[in-house]
Amino acid sequence: MSSVLDALPYRHVLTLPNEPSAVRLARETAEQALVEWGIGLHRPVVDAALLILSELVTNSVRHAAEESPQIMVMYAASGSHLAFAVHDRHAHQPPLHRADTGTGLGTVMELTRQLGGTAAVHGDPDGKSIWITLPL
């Protein structure tokens, strides 16, 4: 994962209160960042990427708000890849490979696989981050 991220020259970090409005703000910020980085919003992968990002933020809002009053959303990109992560302070690291279809995380994994991307959970003493990397 770090080798892909090292190759992504565009980066942005956003800290948000862990509440429902975070979903909209994370999406809007992603759209603004992509435009600033010269990555057109018309690319087919962008709509799916925004849906994946929305699902990850929604999961933090639903499941981690008590333990994590704030979430951090990290964005990174190059001309060929897009990566983003949602970090919260909840210690639970969901098993991505066993996510049930039809759930938010199941949708994330299904879309990520269909787009030829990767997903990973990275735990640390302050919680966890779920990273998604997608080819553009």
Side-chain angles (χ1 to χ4, degrees):
M1 174 62 77
S2 64
S3 63
V4 172
L5 290 177
D6 291 342
L8 302 177
Y10 304 114
R11 296 168 190 251
H12 183 74
V13 177
L14 177 67
T15 302
L16 296 166
N18 198 349
E19 56 189 39
S21 65
V23 178
R24 179 182 48 81
L25 292 170
R27 276 184 73 108
E28 289 174 354
T29 301
E31 290 173 346
Q32 290 171 354
L34 291 171
V35 168
E36 288 175 15
W37 297 338
I39 299 170
L41 299 179
H42 63 280
R43 294 185 188 208
V45 71
V46 171
D47 283 338
L50 294 173
L51 176 58
I52 291 168
L53 175 64
S54 296
E55 288 293 338
L56 292 177
V57 174
T58 297
N59 281 348
S60 284
V61 169
R62 284 187 182 154
H63 305 293
E66 247 181 67
E67 293 181 39
S68 185
Q70 292 184 322
I71 57 173
M72 187 180 337
V73 183
M74 294 147 287
Y75 310 90
S78 70
S80 63
H81 285 86
L82 169 64
F84 50 88
V86 176
H87 181 273
D88 62 49
R89 293 185 173 268
H90 196 287
H92 176 69
Q93 296 181 32
L96 298 179
H97 63 281
R98 292 192 326 223
D100 293 330
T101 303
T103 66
L105 201 50
T107 300
V108 165
M109 293 308 299
E110 186 174 330
L111 283 171
T112 300
R113 281 191 288 270
Q114 288 175 0
L115 295 167
T118 61
V121 177
H122 295 283
D124 61 49
D126 293 324
K128 65 162 170 324
S129 298
I130 298 180
W131 277 97
I132 303 294
T133 303
L134 302 170
L136 287 171

